[in-house]
Coordinates of all heavy atoms in Angstrom, one line a residue:
M959 N -14.0 -6.7 -4.8 CA -15.2 -5.9 -4.8 C -14.8 -4.6 -5.1 O -13.7 -4.0 -4.7 CB -15.9 -6.0 -3.6 CG -16.4 -7.4 -3.2 SD -18.2 -7.4 -3.1 CE -18.4 -9.1 -2.6
Y960 N -15.7 -3.8 -5.7 CA -15.6 -2.4 -6.0 C -16.7 -1.6 -5.4 O -17.7 -2.2 -4.9 CB -15.4 -2.1 -7.5 CG -14.3 -2.9 -8.1 CD1 -14.5 -4.2 -8.4 CD2 -13.0 -2.3 -8.1 CE1 -13.4 -4.9 -8.9 CE2 -12.0 -3.1 -8.5 CZ -12.2 -4.5 -8.9 OH -11.0 -5.1 -9.4
S961 N -16.5 -0.2 -5.4 CA -17.5 0.6 -4.7 C -18.0 1.6 -5.7 O -17.1 2.0 -6.5 CB -17.1 1.1 -3.4 OG -16.2 2.1 -3.5
H962 N -19.1 2.3 -5.6 CA -19.5 3.3 -6.4 C -20.4 4.3 -5.4 O -21.2 3.9 -4.6 CB -20.6 2.8 -7.4 CG -21.2 4.0 -8.3 ND1 -20.6 4.5 -9.3 CD2 -22.4 4.6 -8.1 CE1 -21.4 5.5 -9.7 NE2 -22.5 5.5 -9.0
T963 N -19.9 5.5 -5.6 CA -20.6 6.6 -4.6 C -21.8 7.2 -5.6 O -21.5 7.7 -6.7 CB -19.7 7.8 -4.3 OG1 -18.7 7.1 -3.4 CG2 -20.4 8.8 -3.5
V964 N -23.0 7.0 -5.1 CA -24.2 7.5 -5.9 C -24.2 9.0 -6.1 O -23.8 9.8 -5.2 CB -25.3 7.2 -5.2 CG1 -26.7 7.5 -6.0 CG2 -25.6 5.5 -5.0
K965 N -24.3 9.5 -7.3 CA -24.4 10.9 -7.7 C -26.0 11.1 -8.0 O -26.7 10.2 -8.3 CB -23.7 11.2 -8.9 CG -22.1 10.9 -8.6 CD -21.3 11.1 -9.8 CE -19.9 10.7 -9.5 NZ -19.6 9.3 -9.3
A966 N -26.3 12.3 -8.1 CA -27.7 12.7 -8.4 C -28.0 12.2 -9.8 O -27.3 12.4 -10.7 CB -27.9 14.3 -8.3
G967 N -29.2 11.5 -9.9 CA -29.6 11.0 -11.2 C -29.3 9.6 -11.3 O -29.7 9.0 -12.4
D968 N -28.4 9.0 -10.6 CA -28.1 7.6 -10.7 C -29.3 6.7 -10.3 O -30.2 7.0 -9.5 CB -26.9 7.2 -9.7 CG -25.6 7.5 -10.1 OD1 -25.4 7.9 -11.4 OD2 -24.6 7.4 -9.4
T969 N -29.3 5.5 -11.1 CA -30.3 4.6 -10.7 C -29.5 3.3 -10.6 O -28.4 3.1 -11.1 CB -31.3 4.4 -11.8 OG1 -30.6 3.9 -13.0 CG2 -32.0 5.7 -12.1
L970 N -30.0 2.3 -9.9 CA -29.4 1.0 -9.8 C -29.2 0.3 -11.1 O -28.2 -0.3 -11.4 CB -30.1 0.1 -8.8 CG -30.0 0.3 -7.4 CD1 -30.7 -0.7 -6.6 CD2 -28.5 0.3 -6.9
A971 N -30.1 0.6 -12.1 CA -30.1 0.0 -13.3 C -28.9 0.6 -14.1 O -28.1 -0.1 -14.9 CB -31.4 0.1 -14.1
A972 N -28.8 1.9 -14.2 CA -27.7 2.6 -14.8 C -26.4 2.2 -14.2 O -25.3 2.0 -15.0 CB -27.9 4.1 -14.7
I973 N -26.3 2.0 -12.9 CA -25.0 1.7 -12.3 C -24.7 0.2 -12.7 O -23.5 0.0 -13.0 CB -25.1 1.7 -10.7 CG1 -25.3 3.3 -10.3 CG2 -23.8 1.2 -10.0 CD1 -25.7 3.4 -8.8
A974 N -25.7 -0.7 -12.7 CA -25.4 -2.1 -13.1 C -25.0 -2.1 -14.6 O -24.0 -2.9 -15.0 CB -26.7 -2.8 -13.0
S975 N -25.6 -1.3 -15.5 CA -25.3 -1.2 -16.8 C -23.8 -0.7 -17.0 O -23.0 -1.3 -17.9 CB -26.2 -0.2 -17.5 OG -25.8 -0.2 -19.0
K976 N -23.4 0.3 -16.2 CA -21.9 0.8 -16.2 C -20.9 -0.3 -15.9 O -19.9 -0.4 -16.5 CB -21.8 2.0 -15.4 CG -20.4 2.5 -15.3 CD -20.5 3.7 -14.5 CE -19.0 4.3 -14.4 NZ -18.8 5.4 -13.5
Y977 N -21.1 -1.0 -14.8 CA -20.2 -1.9 -14.1 C -20.3 -3.3 -14.6 O -19.4 -4.1 -14.5 CB -20.2 -1.8 -12.6 CG -19.7 -0.6 -12.1 CD1 -20.6 0.5 -11.6 CD2 -18.4 -0.3 -11.9 CE1 -20.2 1.7 -11.1 CE2 -17.9 0.9 -11.4 CZ -18.8 1.8 -11.0 OH -18.3 3.0 -10.4
M978 N -21.6 -3.8 -15.0 CA -21.8 -5.1 -15.1 C -22.3 -5.4 -16.5 O -22.6 -6.5 -16.9 CB -22.8 -5.6 -14.1 CG -22.4 -5.3 -12.6 SD -23.7 -5.6 -11.4 CE -23.2 -7.2 -11.0
S979 N -22.5 -4.3 -17.3 CA -22.9 -4.4 -18.7 C -24.3 -5.0 -18.9 O -24.8 -5.0 -20.1 CB -22.1 -5.2 -19.6 OG -22.1 -6.6 -19.5
N980 N -25.1 -5.1 -17.9 CA -26.5 -5.5 -18.0 C -27.3 -4.8 -17.0 O -27.1 -5.1 -15.8 CB -26.6 -7.0 -17.9 CG -28.0 -7.5 -18.1 OD1 -28.9 -6.8 -18.2 ND2 -28.0 -8.9 -18.4
A981 N -28.3 -3.9 -17.4 CA -29.0 -3.2 -16.4 C -29.9 -4.0 -15.5 O -30.0 -3.7 -14.3 CB -30.0 -2.1 -17.2
S982 N -30.2 -5.2 -15.9 CA -31.0 -6.0 -15.0 C -30.3 -6.7 -13.9 O -30.8 -7.3 -13.0 CB -31.7 -7.1 -15.9 OG -30.8 -8.0 -16.5
D983 N -29.0 -6.5 -13.9 CA -28.2 -7.0 -12.9 C -28.2 -6.1 -11.6 O -27.4 -6.3 -10.8 CB -26.7 -7.1 -13.3 CG -26.5 -8.4 -14.1 OD1 -27.3 -9.3 -14.1 OD2 -25.4 -8.4 -14.9
W984 N -29.0 -5.1 -11.6 CA -29.2 -4.2 -10.5 C -29.5 -5.1 -9.2 O -29.2 -4.7 -8.1 CB -30.3 -3.2 -10.6 CG -31.7 -3.6 -10.7 CD1 -32.4 -3.7 -11.9 CD2 -32.6 -3.9 -9.8 NE1 -33.7 -4.1 -11.7 CE2 -33.8 -4.2 -10.3 CE3 -32.5 -3.8 -8.3 CZ2 -35.0 -4.5 -9.6 CZ3 -33.6 -4.2 -7.6 CH2 -34.9 -4.4 -8.2
T985 N -30.2 -6.2 -9.4 CA -30.6 -7.1 -8.3 C -29.3 -7.6 -7.5 O -29.3 -7.7 -6.2 CB -31.4 -8.2 -8.7 OG1 -30.8 -9.0 -9.6 CG2 -32.9 -7.8 -9.2
K986 N -28.2 -7.8 -8.3 CA -27.0 -8.3 -7.7 C -26.4 -7.1 -6.7 O -25.7 -7.4 -5.8 CB -25.9 -8.6 -8.7 CG -26.4 -9.9 -9.5 CD -25.4 -10.3 -10.5 CE -25.9 -11.4 -11.3 NZ -25.0 -11.8 -12.5
I987 N -26.5 -6.0 -7.3 CA -26.0 -4.7 -6.5 C -26.8 -4.6 -5.2 O -26.3 -4.5 -4.0 CB -26.0 -3.4 -7.2 CG1 -25.0 -3.6 -8.4 CG2 -25.6 -2.3 -6.3 CD1 -25.1 -2.4 -9.4
R988 N -28.1 -4.7 -5.4 CA -29.1 -4.7 -4.2 C -28.8 -5.7 -3.2 O -28.6 -5.4 -2.0 CB -30.6 -4.9 -4.6 CG -31.6 -4.9 -3.5 CD -32.7 -5.6 -3.8 NE -32.5 -7.0 -4.2 CZ -33.4 -7.7 -5.0 NH1 -34.4 -7.1 -5.5 NH2 -33.0 -9.0 -5.3
D989 N -28.5 -7.0 -3.7 CA -28.2 -8.1 -2.7 C -26.9 -8.0 -2.1 O -26.7 -8.4 -0.9 CB -28.3 -9.3 -3.5 CG -29.7 -9.7 -4.0 OD1 -30.7 -9.1 -3.6 OD2 -29.8 -10.6 -4.8
A990 N -25.9 -7.2 -2.6 CA -24.6 -7.0 -2.0 C -24.5 -5.8 -1.0 O -23.6 -5.6 -0.4 CB -23.6 -6.8 -3.1
N991 N -25.7 -5.0 -0.9 CA -25.8 -3.9 -0.1 C -26.9 -3.9 0.9 O -28.0 -3.6 0.6 CB -25.9 -2.6 -1.0 CG -24.6 -2.4 -1.9 OD1 -23.6 -1.7 -1.3 ND2 -24.5 -2.9 -3.0
P992 N -26.6 -4.4 2.1 CA -27.6 -4.5 3.2 C -28.3 -3.2 3.5 O -29.5 -3.2 3.9 CB -26.9 -5.0 4.4 CG -25.7 -5.7 3.9 CD -25.4 -4.9 2.6
I993 N -27.7 -2.0 3.2 CA -28.3 -0.8 3.5 C -29.5 -0.6 2.7 O -30.4 0.3 3.0 CB -27.3 0.4 3.3 CG1 -27.0 0.5 2.0 CG2 -26.2 0.2 4.3 CD1 -26.2 1.9 1.6
L994 N -29.7 -1.3 1.6 CA -30.8 -1.0 0.7 C -32.0 -1.9 1.1 O -33.1 -1.8 0.5 CB -30.5 -1.4 -0.7 CG -29.3 -0.6 -1.3 CD1 -28.9 -1.0 -2.7 CD2 -29.6 0.9 -1.3
A995 N -31.9 -2.8 2.0 CA -32.9 -3.7 2.5 C -34.3 -3.2 2.8 O -35.3 -3.5 2.4 CB -32.5 -4.6 3.6
N996 N -34.3 -2.1 3.5 CA -35.5 -1.5 4.1 C -35.9 -0.2 3.3 O -36.7 0.6 3.9 CB -35.4 -1.3 5.5 CG -35.3 -2.6 6.3 OD1 -36.0 -3.6 6.0 ND2 -34.4 -2.7 7.3
R997 N -35.2 0.1 2.2 CA -35.6 1.4 1.5 C -37.0 1.3 0.8 O -37.3 0.2 0.4 CB -34.4 1.7 0.5 CG -33.1 1.9 1.0 CD -32.9 3.3 1.3 NE -31.6 3.6 1.9 CZ -30.6 4.1 1.2 NH1 -30.6 4.3 -0.1 NH2 -29.4 4.4 1.8
K998 N -37.4 2.5 0.6 CA -38.7 2.5 -0.2 C -38.3 2.1 -1.7 O -37.1 2.1 -2.0 CB -39.3 3.9 -0.3 CG -39.8 4.3 1.0 CD -40.5 5.6 1.0 CE -41.1 6.1 2.2 NZ -41.8 7.4 2.1
K999 N -39.3 1.6 -2.4 CA -39.1 1.1 -3.7 C -39.5 2.0 -4.8 O -40.5 2.8 -4.7 CB -39.7 -0.2 -3.9 CG -39.7 -1.3 -2.9 CD -38.2 -1.8 -3.0 CE -38.1 -3.0 -2.1 NZ -37.1 -2.9 -1.1
A1000 N -38.7 2.1 -5.9 CA -39.0 2.8 -7.1 C -40.0 2.1 -7.8 O -40.4 1.1 -7.6 CB -37.6 3.1 -7.9
S1001 N -40.5 2.8 -9.0 CA -41.5 2.2 -9.7 C -41.1 0.9 -10.3 O -41.9 0.0 -10.7 CB -42.0 3.1 -10.8 OG -41.0 3.4 -11.7
D1002 N -39.9 0.6 -10.6 CA -39.4 -0.7 -11.2 C -39.1 -1.7 -10.1 O -38.7 -2.8 -10.5 CB -38.1 -0.5 -12.0 CG -36.9 0.0 -11.2 OD1 -37.0 0.2 -10.0 OD2 -35.8 0.1 -11.8
G1003 N -39.3 -1.3 -8.9 CA -39.1 -2.3 -7.8 C -37.8 -2.3 -7.0 O -37.5 -2.9 -6.1
S1004 N -36.9 -1.5 -7.7 CA -35.6 -1.3 -7.1 C -35.6 -0.3 -5.9 O -36.4 0.5 -5.8 CB -34.6 -0.8 -8.1 OG -34.9 0.6 -8.6
P1005 N -34.8 -0.7 -4.9 CA -34.7 0.3 -3.7 C -34.3 1.7 -4.2 O -33.4 1.8 -5.1 CB -33.7 -0.3 -2.8 CG -33.1 -1.4 -3.5 CD -33.8 -1.6 -4.9
I1006 N -34.8 2.7 -3.6 CA -34.4 4.1 -3.9 C -33.0 4.3 -3.3 O -32.7 3.9 -2.2 CB -35.4 5.1 -3.2 CG1 -36.7 5.0 -4.0 CG2 -34.8 6.5 -3.3 CD1 -37.9 5.8 -3.4
I1007 N -32.1 4.8 -4.1 CA -30.8 5.2 -3.7 C -30.6 6.8 -3.6 O -31.4 7.4 -4.3 CB -29.7 4.7 -4.6 CG1 -29.9 5.0 -6.1 CG2 -29.7 3.1 -4.5 CD1 -28.8 4.5 -7.0
Y1008 N -29.7 7.2 -2.8 CA -29.5 8.7 -2.6 C -28.1 9.1 -2.9 O -27.2 8.3 -2.6 CB -30.0 9.0 -1.1 CG -31.3 8.7 -0.8 CD1 -31.7 7.5 0.0 CD2 -32.3 9.4 -1.2 CE1 -32.9 7.2 0.2 CE2 -33.7 9.2 -0.9 CZ -34.0 8.0 -0.2 OH -35.2 7.7 0.2
P1009 N -27.9 10.3 -3.4 CA -26.5 10.9 -3.5 C -25.7 10.7 -2.3 O -26.2 11.0 -1.2 CB -26.7 12.3 -3.9 CG -28.1 12.3 -4.5 CD -28.8 11.3 -3.8
G1010 N -24.5 10.2 -2.5 CA -23.7 10.0 -1.2 C -23.7 8.5 -0.7 O -22.8 8.1 -0.1
D1011 N -24.7 7.8 -1.1 CA -24.7 6.3 -0.8 C -23.5 5.7 -1.4 O -23.1 5.9 -2.6 CB -25.9 5.6 -1.3 CG -27.2 5.9 -0.6 OD1 -27.1 6.3 0.5 OD2 -28.3 5.5 -1.1
V1012 N -22.8 4.8 -0.7 CA -21.7 4.1 -1.2 C -22.0 2.7 -1.3 O -22.3 2.0 -0.3 CB -20.3 4.3 -0.3 CG1 -19.3 3.4 -0.9 CG2 -20.0 5.7 -0.2
L1013 N -22.1 2.2 -2.6 CA -22.6 0.9 -2.8 C -21.5 0.0 -3.3 O -20.6 0.4 -4.1 CB -23.5 1.0 -4.0 CG -24.8 1.9 -4.0 CD1 -25.7 1.8 -5.2 CD2 -25.7 1.5 -2.7
I1014 N -21.6 -1.3 -2.7 CA -20.6 -2.2 -3.2 C -21.1 -2.8 -4.5 O -22.2 -3.1 -4.8 CB -20.7 -3.4 -2.0 CG1 -20.1 -3.0 -0.8 CG2 -19.7 -4.6 -2.7 CD1 -20.3 -3.9 0.4
I1015 N -20.1 -2.9 -5.5 CA -20.3 -3.4 -6.7 C -19.7 -4.8 -6.7 O -18.5 -5.0 -6.5 CB -19.7 -2.7 -7.9 CG1 -20.1 -1.2 -7.7 CG2 -20.0 -3.2 -9.2 CD1 -21.6 -0.9 -7.9
P1016 N -20.5 -5.9 -6.8 CA -20.0 -7.2 -6.6 C -19.2 -7.8 -7.7 O -18.5 -8.8 -7.4 CB -21.3 -8.2 -6.6 CG -22.4 -7.3 -7.3 CD -22.0 -6.0 -7.1
Q1017 N -19.0 -7.2 -8.8 CA -18.1 -7.6 -9.9 C -17.7 -6.4 -10.7 O -18.5 -5.6 -10.9 CB -18.6 -8.8 -10.7 CG -19.8 -8.4 -11.5 CD -20.4 -9.6 -12.2 OE1 -19.9 -10.7 -12.1 NE2 -21.2 -9.3 -13.1
K1018 N -16.4 -6.6 -11.4 CA -16.1 -5.5 -12.3 C -15.7 -6.2 -13.5 O -15.0 -7.3 -13.6 CB -14.8 -4.8 -11.6 CG -14.3 -3.7 -12.6 CD -13.1 -3.1 -11.8 CE -12.3 -2.1 -12.7 NZ -11.2 -1.6 -12.1
I1019 N -16.1 -5.6 -14.7 CA -15.7 -6.1 -15.9 C -14.9 -5.1 -16.8 O -14.7 -4.0 -16.3 CB -17.0 -6.6 -16.7 CG1 -17.9 -5.4 -16.9 CG2 -17.8 -7.7 -15.9 CD1 -19.1 -5.7 -17.9
S1020 N -14.6 -5.6 -18.0 CA -13.5 -4.7 -18.8 C -14.3 -3.5 -19.3 O -13.5 -2.7 -19.8 CB -13.2 -5.6 -20.1 OG -14.4 -6.0 -20.7
V1021 N -15.6 -3.3 -19.1 CA -16.2 -2.0 -19.5 C -15.5 -0.8 -18.8 O -15.3 0.2 -19.5 CB -17.7 -2.0 -19.2 CG1 -18.3 -0.6 -19.4 CG2 -18.4 -3.0 -20.0
L1022 N -15.0 -1.1 -17.7 CA -14.3 -0.1 -16.9 C -12.9 0.4 -17.4 O -12.5 1.5 -17.1 CB -14.2 -0.3 -15.5 CG -15.5 -0.6 -14.6 CD1 -15.1 -1.1 -13.2 CD2 -16.3 0.9 -14.6
A1023 N -12.4 -0.6 -18.2 CA -11.0 -0.3 -18.7 C -11.0 0.5 -19.8 O -10.0 1.0 -20.4 CB -10.4 -1.6 -19.0
R1024 N -12.1 0.9 -20.5 CA -12.3 1.7 -21.7 C -11.9 3.2 -21.4 O -12.2 3.6 -20.3 CB -13.6 1.6 -22.3 CG -13.8 0.3 -22.9 CD -15.2 0.2 -23.4 NE -15.6 -1.2 -23.7 CZ -16.8 -1.5 -23.9 NH1 -17.7 -0.6 -24.1 NH2 -17.2 -2.8 -24.2

């Protein structure tokens, strides 16, 4: 497992796109991070994340090796 520290402007979809190559995989990140369970929701239904949150990334792919 890997982690990502949220920076200003990050979204779960953007983080999923970076690490998992598919923005819709944000649900996998949500499910791997219990701290997101009771967060308010953004307009797309994803939990709101804040700068400084450290999120577990459930998988890593070759995109990171570039």
Side-chain angles (χ1 to χ4, degrees):
M959 299 241 188
Y960 300 90
S961 65
H962 174 85
T963 302
V964 175
K965 297 172 186 70
D968 278 352
T969 64
L970 283 180
I973 295 167
S975 183
K976 175 180 178 180
Y977 290 98
M978 305 166 93
S979 77
N980 188 344
S982 65
D983 283 339
W984 67 262
T985 58
K986 293 178 183 178
I987 297 172
R988 178 203 59 205
D989 294 345
N991 290 276
I993 65 165
L994 302 178
N996 295 319
R997 296 272 178 99
K998 290 183 178 183
K999 306 291 188 243
S1001 61
D1002 66 355
S1004 66
I1006 295 174
I1007 56 176
Y1008 300 99
D1011 284 346
V1012 178
L1013 303 176
I1014 295 168
I1015 307 299
Q1017 65 184 6
K1018 181 180 176 183
I1019 61 170
S1020 61
V1021 172
L1022 294 176
R1024 293 183 197 165

